[in-house]
Amino acid sequence: MGIERSVHLALLKDKERRDVLFLCLSAPALIISFFHTGNLPVDAAWVAILLCGVPILKGALVGLITKFDIKADVLVSIALIASVLIGEIFAAGEVAFIMAIGGYLEERTVAKARAGIEKLVHLTPASARVIRDGKEENIPAEQVKIGDILRVLAGETIAVDGTILKGQTSIDQSVMTGESLPVDKGEGDEVFSGTVNQFGTFDMTARKVGEDSSLQRMIRLVESADAGKTKIVGIADRWATWIVVTALLAAVITWFATGEIIRSVTILVVFCPCALVLATPTAIMAGIGNVTKFGILVREGDALERLSQVQRIAFDKTGTLTYGKPAVTQIHSIDPALNDTALLELAAAAELRSEHPLGRAIVADYLHKHGTPPEQPEEFKMLAGRGVVIRYAGQDILAGNEALMAEHRIILPDELLRAEEKAKSDGCTVISLARNGNAVGMIALSDTLRSDAARTVEAIHRTGVQTVLLTGDAKPAAFHIAQAADIQDVRADCLPEKKLQEIHAYQEKGELVCMVGDGINDAPALKTAHVGIAMGGIGSDIAIDAADIVLVGDDIKEIPHLLQLAKKTMQTIKVNLTASMMLNFIAIALAITGILNPVVGALVHNVGSVAVIINSSLLLKWRKAE
């Protein structure tokens, strides 16, 4: 699959280079033809006809024969042939050239082939460690059967879904849920394929294997969602049948009424939807150029068109509304002999050798406040899934969860329990601390809201678009962040399938959704939503591949501008279409009366096309006043 995609991309690049070369050769040829310079044996406009016109003729003929697909190319082909037959070579070359430019611009904005599914596949380990007759045996992951006993070492990726039989650990399951913090797991807890065992060794029973595993289900979700994406369709092609029929009728009636074939050919030339073809791609290219200056990469040509239609933006929490990293939010000491600074020192000393993200966050907070790390502990012991035990400055220090405290028979006073429950209700993870057998306090950590998140949500609401929070986090953390960001609609505990269900539910009610996310678990939702926006800096490659738009610098504050620009781009396209149609009708009237000949008619096309390009270019610097 990867080789086929690479070959396809290479062919697309070759075609793009060829199109640019043909356009570069055709432009000077038309100039030479118009001014009759060079004393050439044949009209130089033939270069444009052969390089730009023949591909149009071929495409129109193939579409007409194989699918009876009447597109704008059919009328252009008729006009080209008619112009050549009556000797208006420049008119034929000019029409072919303008249409080729429109086609090239449209191809530049049409959806490009996206990678990502193979990256999901690579997350699944190739092998698994099975325990049979008391011995470890490495076998291919696809050969694991339900009921097999697997052993997973620290740092390894879990091959299948299952339940822990023996051992305690912390699991990084951001692949599935998007949670920023590792989740402590013990006997009886479920674990999922594609997630990473961070600490300790454990044995597990395989429950869901092969195509039924969580990761394989997510791969299928991404594939099926991708199949529903639509490509940009030019307005000229949507109206092509009516344009062709009307043009042919007008040309035939004029020929019968006047007996002048040149008037009929002129009608066909001016009826060619050159400006109409340019109306959409030039505006979209200008819109893409605008948002690029604000660190926004539009990967899909019709993304702005679709974004202008959304009525609700669904935010992931971790790494999108928040920074995606734990930080110390509260220090609470219950020991009169220890102030907050002293308590933080004990915690930092305990976590100094820890590789756990929570431990690193505590050490980072201490370094930020004091500039230097605490002294190294004399002894250090990490207990996977519970915490750490150290000897520091002659004191026995415990730092960990309630299981660690209970294991060492540390009684947590009511004051400390109330403080911990309050922190947990705010979405924090709590680390309890004990010194010499007595509880002394706790430190609360949580993923923190981006500084501009609340202002961004408020600005989105002002545009008339509603918001919802879709997150794999538990309800306390989800509601705490939602309240801080002023998002009223919250959906917590959302695995990838649940996010898809929520998006489908909104869209079935006619409420089109834009999904903003960063994690691998967001990839199916990003593809299923009407528009997907990924965080480019913190986001996973798979999420970025699944998205239509990427925030390169993770700057969510530009989302309101993106929404407004999408609507402005659609307004510009409508103006372009209306103006080009009006110009066409005026030119047709002049052609019928014989005022225009094919060459002048072709030049009128240039005026319309230039007007469309100038109007679209105004989008490059557009930004709505605050």
Side-chain angles (χ1 to χ4, degrees):
M1 183 173 66
I3 294 174
E4 290 176 0
R5 181 174 284 107
S6 299
V7 171
H8 179 63
L9 287 174
L11 291 174
L12 284 177
K13 289 179 181 177
D14 286 343
K15 183 181 182 302
E16 183 177 334
R17 284 194 290 265
R18 186 172 63 250
D19 290 345
V20 171
L21 176 62
F22 286 178
L23 288 170
C24 290
L25 292 174
S26 298
L30 286 173
I31 294 171
I32 292 170
S33 174
F34 183 75
F35 290 106
H36 303 289
T37 59
N39 296 319
L40 300 174
V42 293
D43 196 316
W46 274 106
V47 174
I49 294 172
L50 293 174
L51 297 181
C52 300
V54 170
I56 294 173
L57 289 169
K58 180 183 175 183
L61 188 62
V62 170
L64 199 59
I65 293 173
T66 59
K67 302 178 182 177
F68 199 67
D69 189 10
I70 301 176
K71 301 192 299 183
D73 286 355
V74 173
L75 181 56
V76 174
S77 300
I78 294 170
L80 282 174
I81 294 169
S83 297
V84 170
L85 289 176
I86 67 168
E88 295 291 350
I89 306 303
F90 173 79
E94 190 268 347
V95 169
F97 180 70
I98 292 295
M99 292 298 293
I101 289 177
Y104 172 72
L105 290 175
E106 189 169 355
E107 283 180 8
R108 291 276 296 176
T109 62
V110 166
K112 296 179 181 179
R114 291 171 297 174
I117 293 173
E118 66 272 22
K119 294 176 185 174
L120 275 172
V121 173
H122 291 159
L123 288 175
T124 307
S127 62
R129 188 179 289 99
V130 181
I131 308 298
R132 289 175 178 167
D133 299 325
K135 297 179 180 179
E136 291 185 14
E137 180 183 347
N138 279 311
I139 65 170
E142 60 268 20
Q143 292 181 12
V144 176
K145 298 177 182 178
I146 294 174
D148 279 350
I149 307 299
L150 307 183
R151 178 161 294 164
V152 184
L153 306 184
E156 290 185 341
T157 301
I158 299 170
V160 298
D161 294 7
T163 306
I164 294 179
L165 284 177
K166 184 172 65 175
Q168 291 182 316
T169 185
S170 293
I171 302 290
D172 176 0
Q173 52 187 36
S174 58
V175 166
M176 297 305 302
T177 67
E179 290 176 286
S180 57
L181 304 178
V183 179
D184 293 335
K185 299 278 187 177
E187 294 177 10
D189 289 334
E190 283 188 315
V191 289
F192 305 104
S193 60
T195 59
V196 180
N197 176 27
Q198 290 205 322
F199 307 104
T201 299
F202 66 88
D203 293 346
M204 61 174 282
T205 303
R207 299 295 185 195
K208 293 180 180 179
V209 300
E211 293 299 312
D212 293 328
S213 70
S214 299
L215 188 61
Q216 292 301 320
R217 288 202 310 275
M218 188 159 67
I219 291 171
R220 289 199 299 276
L221 287 171
V222 172
E223 289 175 326
S224 62
D226 190 38
K229 284 290 185 186
T230 58
K231 291 184 178 181
I232 188 169
V233 179
I235 295 294
D237 284 346
R238 295 176 194 170
W239 296 349
T241 304
W242 296 107
I243 292 173
V244 171
V245 172
T246 305
L248 290 175
L249 281 174
V252 170
I253 292 170
T254 301
W255 188 12
F256 278 121
T258 64
E260 297 181 31
I261 187 66
I262 194 167
R263 292 194 187 190
S264 298
V265 173
T266 305
I267 289 172
L268 293 176
V269 170
V270 297
F271 230 128
C272 287
C274 295
L276 204 62
V277 167
L278 291 172
T280 299
T282 54
I284 288 178
M285 287 292 283
I288 291 172
N290 177 302
V291 295
T292 299
K293 295 182 292 186
F294 298 99
I296 300 172
L297 173 64
V298 179
R299 302 181 68 248
E300 301 286 357
D302 61 343
L304 292 179
E305 182 180 1
R306 287 185 276 121
L307 187 62
S308 69
Q309 302 163 350
V310 302
Q311 295 145 289
R312 185 175 292 272
I313 291 185
F315 284 101
D316 175 47
K317 181 185 82 71
T318 304
T320 304
L321 286 177
T322 68
Y323 288 107
K325 296 179 181 179
V328 175
T329 56
Q330 185 183 351
I331 302 171
H332 185 85
S333 174
I334 60 169
D335 187 337
L338 291 172
N339 59 21
D340 288 352
T341 301
L343 188 66
L344 179 62
E345 180 186 347
L346 291 182
E351 302 288 359
L352 200 55
R353 299 181 191 173
S354 172
E355 293 297 322
H356 198 288
L358 295 178
R360 290 199 295 266
I362 290 173
V363 174
D365 189 68
Y366 184 88
L367 284 170
H368 176 71
K369 292 175 179 175
H370 299 278
T372 57
E375 295 293 326
Q376 288 283 346
E378 292 114 38
E379 297 175 14
F380 173 87
K381 183 180 181 181
M382 187 182 75
L383 302 173
R386 287 162 288 173
V388 296
V389 178
I390 68 164
R391 180 79 176 167
Y392 179 71
Q395 307 169 96
D396 293 320
I397 308 297
L398 303 180
N401 56 23
E402 292 179 5
L404 179 68
M405 298 295 133
E407 187 177 302
H408 288 77
R409 299 180 181 179
I410 305 295
I411 298 173
L412 303 182
D414 290 343
E415 177 191 350
L416 184 58
L417 287 172
R418 286 195 298 271
E420 290 186 354
E421 286 303 316
K422 174 65 170 61
K424 289 176 183 177
S425 68
D426 289 337
C428 296
T429 299
V430 171
I431 292 182
S432 302
L433 290 152
R435 180 178 65 169
N436 296 330
N438 296 308
V440 292
M442 68 91 180
I443 291 180
L445 301 97
S446 71
D447 195 2
T448 53
L449 188 72
R450 290 180 183 270
S451 57
D452 50 9
R455 290 193 301 274
T456 298
V457 171
E458 182 186 0
I460 289 171
H461 289 163
R462 286 200 301 268
T463 68
V465 176
Q466 300 303 308
T467 54
V468 61
L469 179 63
L470 298 181
T471 177
D473 280 18
K475 287 183 179 179
F479 279 94
H480 176 69
I481 290 296
Q483 184 178 20
D486 195 27
I487 295 177
Q488 305 301 319
D489 199 353
V490 183
R491 304 285 191 274
D493 299 312
C494 288
L495 290 174
E497 289 114 317
K498 182 71 182 299
K499 288 186 179 183
L500 256 65
Q501 291 168 8
E502 296 291 348
I503 290 172
H504 279 308
Y506 281 118
Q507 297 191 154
E508 284 174 2
K509 293 186 296 185
E511 196 170 337
L512 299 177
V513 176
C514 169
M515 176 71 195
V516 185
D518 73 298
I520 294 171
N521 64 303
D522 295 320
L526 287 167
K527 283 199 171 186
T528 299
H530 200 56
V531 182
I533 300 178
M535 310 294 280
I538 195 173
S540 73
D541 289 344
I542 293 166
I544 292 169
D545 286 334
D548 305 299
I549 299 170
V550 178
L551 305 180
V552 177
D554 296 340
D555 201 351
I556 63 171
K557 75 173 184 290
E558 295 300 338
I559 291 178
H561 170 62
L562 183 61
L563 288 169
Q564 292 164 342
L565 180 81
K567 293 177 180 178
K568 180 65 177 177
T569 301
M570 291 307 106
Q571 291 173 5
T572 299
I573 289 173
K574 290 174 183 176
V575 170
N576 287 346
L577 293 172
T578 303
S580 60
M581 288 297 288
M582 287 179 61
L583 180 64
N584 263 19
F585 286 125
I586 293 171
I588 289 163
L590 294 175
I592 291 172
T593 58
I595 296 174
L596 294 183
N597 60 35
V599 173
V600 177
L603 292 175
V604 168
H605 266 113
N606 270 331
V607 172
S609 301
V610 169
V612 163
I613 292 170
I614 290 173
N615 187 47
S616 295
S617 68
L618 298 178
L619 286 171
L620 286 168
K621 295 184 179 181
W622 183 86
R623 188 177 179 94
K624 189 173 182 179
E626 296 293 338

PDB file of all heavy atoms in Angstrom, residues 13 28 83 90 195 197 217 283 310 327 359 387 407 429 505 546 587:
ATOM      1  N   LYS A  13       3.088  14.616  -9.096  1.00  0.00           N
ATOM      2  CA  LYS A  13       4.116  15.655  -9.189  1.00  0.00           C
ATOM      3  C   LYS A  13       4.604  15.818 -10.620  1.00  0.00           C
ATOM      4  O   LYS A  13       4.840  16.944 -11.091  1.00  0.00           O
ATOM      5  CB  LYS A  13       5.286  15.313  -8.259  1.00  0.00           C
ATOM      6  CG  LYS A  13       4.940  15.463  -6.779  1.00  0.00           C
ATOM      7  CD  LYS A  13       6.117  15.085  -5.901  1.00  0.00           C
ATOM      8  CE  LYS A  13       5.747  15.215  -4.416  1.00  0.00           C
ATOM      9  NZ  LYS A  13       6.861  14.792  -3.543  1.00  0.00           N
ATOM     10  N   PRO A  28       4.038  32.879 -23.904  1.00  0.00           N
ATOM     11  CA  PRO A  28       4.739  33.681 -24.927  1.00  0.00           C
ATOM     12  C   PRO A  28       4.237  33.396 -26.342  1.00  0.00           C
ATOM     13  O   PRO A  28       4.247  34.286 -27.201  1.00  0.00           O
ATOM     14  CB  PRO A  28       6.204  33.280 -24.759  1.00  0.00           C
ATOM     15  CG  PRO A  28       6.196  31.969 -24.043  1.00  0.00           C
ATOM     16  CD  PRO A  28       4.978  31.995 -23.184  1.00  0.00           C
ATOM     17  N   SER A  83     -13.547  27.366 -33.582  1.00  0.00           N
ATOM     18  CA  SER A  83     -12.630  28.490 -33.836  1.00  0.00           C
ATOM     19  C   SER A  83     -11.544  28.096 -34.828  1.00  0.00           C
ATOM     20  O   SER A  83     -11.195  28.865 -35.736  1.00  0.00           O
ATOM     21  CB  SER A  83     -11.994  28.959 -32.520  1.00  0.00           C
ATOM     22  OG  SER A  83     -12.968  29.449 -31.628  1.00  0.00           O
ATOM     23  N   PHE A  90      -5.965  32.285 -32.808  1.00  0.00           N
ATOM     24  CA  PHE A  90      -5.639  32.955 -31.539  1.00  0.00           C
ATOM     25  C   PHE A  90      -6.755  32.764 -30.524  1.00  0.00           C
ATOM     26  O   PHE A  90      -6.502  32.484 -29.343  1.00  0.00           O
ATOM     27  CB  PHE A  90      -5.392  34.451 -31.745  1.00  0.00           C
ATOM     28  CG  PHE A  90      -5.220  35.204 -30.452  1.00  0.00           C
ATOM     29  CD1 PHE A  90      -4.022  35.176 -29.766  1.00  0.00           C
ATOM     30  CD2 PHE A  90      -6.287  35.910 -29.884  1.00  0.00           C
ATOM     31  CE1 PHE A  90      -3.868  35.842 -28.557  1.00  0.00           C
ATOM     32  CE2 PHE A  90      -6.148  36.574 -28.679  1.00  0.00           C
ATOM     33  CZ  PHE A  90      -4.932  36.548 -28.010  1.00  0.00           C
ATOM     34  N   THR A 195      -1.418   0.696  23.358  1.00  0.00           N
ATOM     35  CA  THR A 195      -1.006   1.521  24.496  1.00  0.00           C
ATOM     36  C   THR A 195       0.345   1.025  25.015  1.00  0.00           C
ATOM     37  O   THR A 195       0.767  -0.097  24.730  1.00  0.00           O
ATOM     38  CB  THR A 195      -2.061   1.491  25.621  1.00  0.00           C
ATOM     39  OG1 THR A 195      -2.258   0.137  26.058  1.00  0.00           O
ATOM     40  CG2 THR A 195      -3.392   2.037  25.109  1.00  0.00           C
ATOM     41  N   ASN A 197       3.177   0.260  28.040  1.00  0.00           N
ATOM     42  CA  ASN A 197       3.471  -0.042  29.444  1.00  0.00           C
ATOM     43  C   ASN A 197       4.686   0.780  29.868  1.00  0.00           C
ATOM     44  O   ASN A 197       5.791   0.562  29.376  1.00  0.00           O
ATOM     45  CB  ASN A 197       3.760  -1.538  29.595  1.00  0.00           C
ATOM     46  CG  ASN A 197       4.165  -1.901  31.008  1.00  0.00           C
ATOM     47  OD1 ASN A 197       3.775  -1.231  31.963  1.00  0.00           O
ATOM     48  ND2 ASN A 197       4.953  -2.955  31.139  1.00  0.00           N
ATOM     49  N   ARG A 217      -9.720  -1.795  15.379  1.00  0.00           N
ATOM     50  CA  ARG A 217     -11.027  -1.161  15.166  1.00  0.00           C
ATOM     51  C   ARG A 217     -10.854   0.300  14.800  1.00  0.00           C
ATOM     52  O   ARG A 217     -11.562   0.836  13.945  1.00  0.00           O
ATOM     53  CB  ARG A 217     -11.897  -1.288  16.430  1.00  0.00           C
ATOM     54  CG  ARG A 217     -12.419  -2.683  16.685  1.00  0.00           C
ATOM     55  CD  ARG A 217     -13.657  -2.676  17.574  1.00  0.00           C
ATOM     56  NE  ARG A 217     -13.479  -1.891  18.791  1.00  0.00           N
ATOM     57  CZ  ARG A 217     -12.935  -2.364  19.899  1.00  0.00           C
ATOM     58  NH1 ARG A 217     -12.503  -3.613  19.936  1.00  0.00           N
ATOM     59  NH2 ARG A 217     -12.825  -1.614  20.960  1.00  0.00           N
ATOM     60  N   ALA A 283     -10.187  32.071  -5.530  1.00  0.00           N
ATOM     61  CA  ALA A 283     -10.592  32.548  -4.206  1.00  0.00           C
ATOM     62  C   ALA A 283     -10.070  31.630  -3.112  1.00  0.00           C
ATOM     63  O   ALA A 283      -9.589  32.088  -2.068  1.00  0.00           O
ATOM     64  CB  ALA A 283     -12.115  32.647  -4.134  1.00  0.00           C
ATOM     65  N   VAL A 310     -20.085  24.952   8.822  1.00  0.00           N
ATOM     66  CA  VAL A 310     -20.193  24.294  10.135  1.00  0.00           C
ATOM     67  C   VAL A 310     -20.985  25.152  11.108  1.00  0.00           C
ATOM     68  O   VAL A 310     -20.965  26.375  11.059  1.00  0.00           O
ATOM     69  CB  VAL A 310     -18.802  23.945  10.726  1.00  0.00           C
ATOM     70  CG1 VAL A 310     -18.020  23.045   9.800  1.00  0.00           C
ATOM     71  CG2 VAL A 310     -18.021  25.193  11.068  1.00  0.00           C
ATOM     72  N   ALA A 327       1.059  19.904  35.217  1.00  0.00           N
ATOM     73  CA  ALA A 327       1.760  20.968  35.947  1.00  0.00           C
ATOM     74  C   ALA A 327       1.220  21.021  37.371  1.00  0.00           C
ATOM     75  O   ALA A 327       0.055  20.665  37.623  1.00  0.00           O
ATOM     76  CB  ALA A 327       1.563  22.318  35.249  1.00  0.00           C
ATOM     77  N   GLY A 359       6.068  12.912  38.192  1.00  0.00           N
ATOM     78  CA  GLY A 359       7.297  13.190  38.931  1.00  0.00           C
ATOM     79  C   GLY A 359       8.136  14.245  38.242  1.00  0.00           C
ATOM     80  O   GLY A 359       8.683  15.160  38.889  1.00  0.00           O
ATOM     81  N   GLY A 387       3.943   4.601  43.494  1.00  0.00           N
ATOM     82  CA  GLY A 387       4.700   5.804  43.808  1.00  0.00           C
ATOM     83  C   GLY A 387       6.156   5.491  44.097  1.00  0.00           C
ATOM     84  O   GLY A 387       6.707   4.508  43.568  1.00  0.00           O
ATOM     85  N   GLU A 407      -0.619   0.677  51.852  1.00  0.00           N
ATOM     86  CA  GLU A 407       0.370  -0.391  51.931  1.00  0.00           C
ATOM     87  C   GLU A 407       1.338  -0.167  53.088  1.00  0.00           C
ATOM     88  O   GLU A 407       1.800  -1.127  53.729  1.00  0.00           O
ATOM     89  CB  GLU A 407       1.127  -0.452  50.606  1.00  0.00           C
ATOM     90  CG  GLU A 407       2.079  -1.619  50.460  1.00  0.00           C
ATOM     91  CD  GLU A 407       2.732  -1.640  49.082  1.00  0.00           C
ATOM     92  OE1 GLU A 407       1.992  -1.699  48.077  1.00  0.00           O
ATOM     93  OE2 GLU A 407       3.972  -1.592  49.031  1.00  0.00           O
ATOM     94  N   THR A 429      -4.848  15.202  39.417  1.00  0.00           N
ATOM     95  CA  THR A 429      -4.274  13.968  39.940  1.00  0.00           C
ATOM     96  C   THR A 429      -3.519  14.328  41.211  1.00  0.00           C
ATOM     97  O   THR A 429      -2.778  15.309  41.243  1.00  0.00           O
ATOM     98  CB  THR A 429      -3.317  13.334  38.920  1.00  0.00           C
ATOM     99  OG1 THR A 429      -4.048  13.020  37.739  1.00  0.00           O
ATOM    100  CG2 THR A 429      -2.689  12.072  39.474  1.00  0.00           C
ATOM    101  N   ALA A 505     -24.217  11.968  15.523  1.00  0.00           N
ATOM    102  CA  ALA A 505     -25.496  12.397  16.097  1.00  0.00           C
ATOM    103  C   ALA A 505     -25.776  13.866  15.761  1.00  0.00           C
ATOM    104  O   ALA A 505     -26.896  14.229  15.388  1.00  0.00           O
ATOM    105  CB  ALA A 505     -25.478  12.193  17.613  1.00  0.00           C
ATOM    106  N   ALA A 546      -4.883  12.950   9.112  1.00  0.00           N
ATOM    107  CA  ALA A 546      -6.333  12.789   9.035  1.00  0.00           C
ATOM    108  C   ALA A 546      -7.067  14.113   8.870  1.00  0.00           C
ATOM    109  O   ALA A 546      -8.247  14.129   8.509  1.00  0.00           O
ATOM    110  CB  ALA A 546      -6.843  12.081  10.294  1.00  0.00           C
ATOM    111  N   ALA A 587     -21.729  39.636 -23.134  1.00  0.00           N
ATOM    112  CA  ALA A 587     -20.907  39.286 -24.297  1.00  0.00           C
ATOM    113  C   ALA A 587     -21.712  38.490 -25.322  1.00  0.00           C
ATOM    114  O   ALA A 587     -21.544  38.666 -26.537  1.00  0.00           O
ATOM    115  CB  ALA A 587     -19.685  38.492 -23.842  1.00  0.00           C
TER     116      ALA A 587
END
